[in-house]
Amino acid sequence: MIYLDNAATSFPKPGGMLRVMEECIVDYCGNPGRSGHRMSMRTGEEIYKARKEIGKLFQIADCSRIVFTSNATEALNLGIKGVLVSGDHVITTAMEHNSVLRPLTSLEESGIETTIVRCAGDGTMNIERLKEEIRENTKLIVCTHASNVTGTIMPIKKIGETAKQKNILFMVDAAQSAGCLHIDVNEMKIDLLALPGHKGLLGPMGTGMLYVKEDVRIKPLKQGGTGTSSKELIQPSEFPEGFEAGTVNAPGIIGLGFSAKHVQKLGVENIRAYEDELIAILDGALRNMNGVTVYGPWDCRKKTGIVSFNLRKRGCEEVCDILNSEYGIAARGGYHCAALTHKTIGTYDTGAVRFSVGPANTRREMNLAVEAIYQIQKRVH
Ligand SMILES: Cc1ncc(COP(=O)(O)O)c(C=O)c1O
């Protein structure tokens, strides 16, 4: 199969990842932080190494501020619900995923107000618009680093500077950028960084994390066993265990540590340059094809490895079915859990076909995908 659905989850995973996960499960998987025996200690040590490895990718100096979660959605919920209280105002954008928009909507009944900044038809956002929405009680700005529909890259550094000047917390949804774009939490003035392990970091499904800057106060999303302060009935507030209640996904986290190291070895800048090259092949050919409409920025440097498009004569789901069954190409059609994005780019009634590339894709696969779309478009019904 030609796998062009890396924005949903990456495939394939790095060689060797399964080995370390298997080693954990088969050789030593004791419950970390719970007991003093060798197996429990070893699992704890391996998780600590993974935490450090992942922290390096984002210039996180204190890796204990990384809270492991089961995906980006849990990390976003923890960050959003952990800092907002009744009376707060939060600003976000129309390019967000439901993992941001739904938690924010659910908080409306708790007296938390949200402003959604509109974006241009290619998904880009004018930061002046965001600045106009800042109020006295604005506590948080939440923004995706890159759209999961168009790949449009948001002006994260500028938003971070604005938030800092105004003393507002800044949370970044790096679901589409971690492992694909440069991220430095210090340079970008990020207070809360939420991301999945299973996309650009090439880790296993069931992994994700939230980084919480040293001076940011946050409430836990769940309460339960931490292996510490066991006599206390209130949840400990120490990082990371106070926020990782319950037994963690040790094999998954250790696998993620391995894949994060692999991404470091490949180099995020190199991954970015290669994906840029791949997406330019797709984007250029599809934009020049009769009967095909491509969405998002024309300049591929302004987006990640995503190209979303529609064919004049066929619905997006039908195109994906044909790609799957006749060409062996995996793509995603529909609304990509981002209705407001589709409203912004003019595809609210149709959805779109999305191709998303990863570091294992080849130039030849791009040409085959272009050829498949050409054949499908030119067919008579
Ligand atoms: C921009 C964005 N945010 C959040 C998420 C949620 O990620 P997860 O599936 O890991 O919860 C996704 C998933 O596609 C996404 O693209």
Side-chain angles (χ1 to χ4, degrees):
M1 186 141 223
I2 298 176
Y3 186 77
L4 297 180
D5 199 14
N6 287 276
T9 197
S10 54
F11 184 88
K13 304 301 182 185
M17 187 178 87
L18 188 62
R19 186 182 42 75
V20 296
M21 292 175 73
E22 189 182 340
E23 192 186 10
C24 167
I25 294 166
V26 174
D27 289 355
Y28 63 86
C29 207
N31 204 331
R34 302 299 196 266
S35 319
H37 60 73
R38 210 167 56 222
M39 286 166 66
S40 168
M41 299 289 275
R42 167 92 192 270
T43 310
E45 279 159 22
E46 296 295 335
I47 288 179
Y48 177 73
K49 280 192 218 158
R51 228 183 269 281
K52 276 200 92 151
E53 219 48 74
I54 296 158
K56 278 190 212 160
L57 272 172
F58 310 109
Q59 311 304 316
I60 295 171
D62 178 1
C63 71
S64 73
R65 304 294 295 194
I66 291 174
V67 175
F68 285 120
T69 59
S70 53
N71 46 42
T73 302
E74 190 188 338
L76 287 160
N77 270 270
L78 169 60
I80 289 170
K81 293 173 182 166
V83 298
L84 294 171
V85 294
S86 181
D88 285 342
H89 172 240
V90 47
I91 302 176
T92 191
T93 82
M95 296 305 285
E96 305 305 311
H97 190 272
N98 279 343
S99 298
V100 168
L101 295 174
R102 286 182 176 169
L104 289 177
T105 305
S106 80
L107 290 176
E108 278 169 14
E109 61 188 29
S110 311
I112 292 155
E113 234 185 306
T114 299
T115 299
I116 300 173
V117 178
R118 278 189 295 124
C119 295
D122 63 356
T124 51
M125 190 195 58
N126 180 347
I127 188 158
E128 296 309 316
R129 277 216 173 133
L130 182 143
K131 285 183 185 166
E132 283 165 16
E133 301 297 345
I134 294 175
R135 303 182 194 163
E136 283 266 290
N137 63 338
T138 305
K139 170 86 154 288
L140 177 70
I141 297 173
V142 196
C143 185
T144 188
H145 192 173
S147 159
N148 65 314
V149 180
T150 55
T152 312
I153 299 170
M154 304 303 251
I156 290 305
K157 197 162 174 227
K158 284 191 190 148
I159 302 174
E161 276 157 13
T162 303
K164 181 96 192 151
Q165 277 164 14
K166 301 281 182 184
N167 211 13
I168 296 169
L169 292 174
F170 181 38
M171 177 167 186
V172 174
D173 173 1
Q176 294 299 331
S177 59
C180 313
L181 295 180
H182 167 73
I183 300 176
D184 179 329
V185 291
N186 309 303
E187 184 191 313
M188 295 170 166
K189 317 254 183 294
I190 297 171
D191 296 299
L192 298 144
L193 179 71
L195 55 95
H198 64 97
K199 299 189 200 249
L201 292 186
L202 309 177
M205 279 191 204
T207 59
M209 60 157 259
L210 178 72
Y211 158 71
V212 184
K213 197 171 167 241
E214 283 71 9
D215 52 355
V216 175
R217 286 173 63 85
I218 179 169
K219 295 187 300 278
L221 200 57
K222 51 193 182 179
Q223 290 76 29
T226 57
T228 56
S229 313
S230 288
K231 284 176 164 174
E232 302 289 336
L233 294 185
I234 50 166
Q235 184 69 9
S237 56
E238 278 79 33
F239 277 89
E241 61 272 13
F243 301 84
E244 290 176 348
T247 299
V248 296
N249 174 8
I253 293 168
I254 290 163
L256 176 58
F258 180 92
S259 71
K261 200 168 181 173
H262 176 80
V263 166
Q264 268 181 61
K265 271 193 215 143
L266 291 178
V268 173
E269 306 294 331
N270 297 330
I271 292 173
R272 166 79 179 137
Y274 183 58
E275 291 185 356
D276 228 16
E277 201 185 309
L278 295 181
I279 214 70
I281 300 173
L282 286 177
D283 202 274
L286 294 180
R287 282 193 195 271
N288 284 318
M289 207 179 278
N290 254 340
V292 179
T293 306
V294 176
Y295 309 101
W298 279 75
D299 182 349
C300 288
R301 287 167 305 180
K302 293 189 175 157
K303 64 178 191 166
T304 53
I306 287 178
V307 54
S308 285
F309 60 95
N310 272 315
L311 306 196
R312 196 190 307 133
K313 292 189 284 188
R314 286 175 196 272
C316 62
E317 309 281 8
E318 190 192 356
V319 173
C320 288
D321 284 347
I322 299 173
L323 284 168
N324 174 51
S325 58
E326 296 183 30
Y327 296 89
I329 295 174
R332 179 165 172 200
Y335 293 95
H336 314 96
C337 307
L340 292 189
T341 302
H342 279 280
K343 213 170 228 177
T344 303
I345 67 173
T347 51
Y348 192 67
D349 295 328
T350 57
V353 181
R354 181 183 73 185
F355 282 158
S356 50
V357 302
N361 285 122
T362 62
R363 296 171 188 87
R364 181 169 174 273
E365 287 177 333
M366 301 303 109
N367 292 325
L368 289 170
V370 169
E371 180 60 25
I373 295 299
Y374 176 71
Q375 297 292 344
I376 297 169
Q377 170 59 16
K378 107 175 164 187
R379 274 186 209 178
V380 183
H381 271 281

